[in-house]
Amino acid sequence: MNDEVARSRGVAVLGSTGSIGTTALRVIARQPGRFHVAALTAFANSALLESQATLTNPTFVGLVSPNGVKPPESWRLGAASLVEAATRDDVDIVLNAVVGAAGLDATLAALEAGKRVALANKETLVVAGELAAAACARTGGEIVPVDSEHSAILQCLGRRDRTDVRRLIITASGGPFRTWSSAAIRSATLEDALRHPTWSMGRKITVDSATLANKALEVIEAHFLFGIPYENIEVVVHPQSVVHSMVEFVDGSVLAQMGVPSMELPVLYALTHPERVRDDGVPRFDPVAHSPLTFEPVRLSDFPALSLGLEAGRNGGAAPAVFNAANEQAVALFLEGKMNFADITASIDSALGQLGTMNGKDKASLLAADAAARAHVSRRAENN
Ligand code: NDP
Ligand code: MG
């Protein structure tokens, strides 16, 4: 190992073949000497994973589901490879860009090992926010958000104490159906839902942005990340996705963080926080080109997934885990063409009605609630 590599920090990129994962590899490649790829994992995309491994030369490569393909012998296979990647000695930062609750064990294991988790996998905090916070308190591990809204809030907060905060204002693009009538939204197709106006992302989060379930996940994520009560977190629609979020302080001052809609900066900042480093690859902001900036209230009655998620957050226990798992299962069925758009939210509502009071006192009970919610949504879809 040369001196430069010895000083550079090892990053495990979990979910390296996805939208955030590939962005992260670009960002890391622009910071030689500061960061290097120590580990990579993917679910099934072995061809892309192999070319990424050739380019970045990590010490560990994990593939969850080889799907009949014969991967190189040095690779570790199976879901446990995520935890292995996240806890290696040569890994300083775990960039968790896995989609869904499948990323939970790796986040918790990395925090238990005292590492920094650069967290895109917001589902982790929704399912087990209290367990993650407890792990951080025990070990000195830390979570730095990759989600653009939370990165914005972190940047606005700086080193100020949370008692200085009156309100977090989380912005939402409004998704592809922001201006659609209620009836049109109910009959939206998969193709409609996948056409996001401002962000290019993986399929699951793109659908979450169409139902606004994503904003509910983000409010719960913000609650756990920053320790702010739900009644002090608001959502406002901002169609241009330029103001990434705002923090109102007790004296009435409001700070906002802005930039072009790109995940390059949030990914970079999650690695470097609280420092800033030069990166000419992050797209530059031109205020005139991005004018005008507008804000609107959320049409809550047309996007009921948001209110359902907020209520689940406020109720606590296993309710957020049920909300998340029901949403994951319903979106998976929608993506397979086995459920219609309106039924995603109806499935979440039904799962919360049946299972929302399950207890969430430990990981086993949260996982039981997660499994029950998935089974509930599948059964409901078969009977419809
Ligand atoms: P993608 O679907 O593009 O990528 C998901 C990645 O996770 C892929 O590498 C995939 O591997 C892997 N993966 C999928 N399922 C599993 C599993 N069960 N076990 C292990 N690995 C798995 O998703 P995104 O990059 O869009 O999103 C990732 C996370 O980041 C999500 O939590 C999302 O909410 C969050 N996020 C994303 C943003 C974005 O701009 N995309 C913005 C903010 C947050 P394979 O390719 O082999 O299937
Ligand atoms: Mg976001």
Side-chain angles (χ1 to χ4, degrees), residues 44 46 63 65-71:
S46 54
L63 183 68
S65 173
N67 266 348
V69 176
K70 200 169 176 340

Side-chain angles (χ1 to χ4, degrees), residues 122 147-149 218:
K122 64 189 91 185
D147 218 350
S148 58
E149 295 78 0
E218 290 186 352

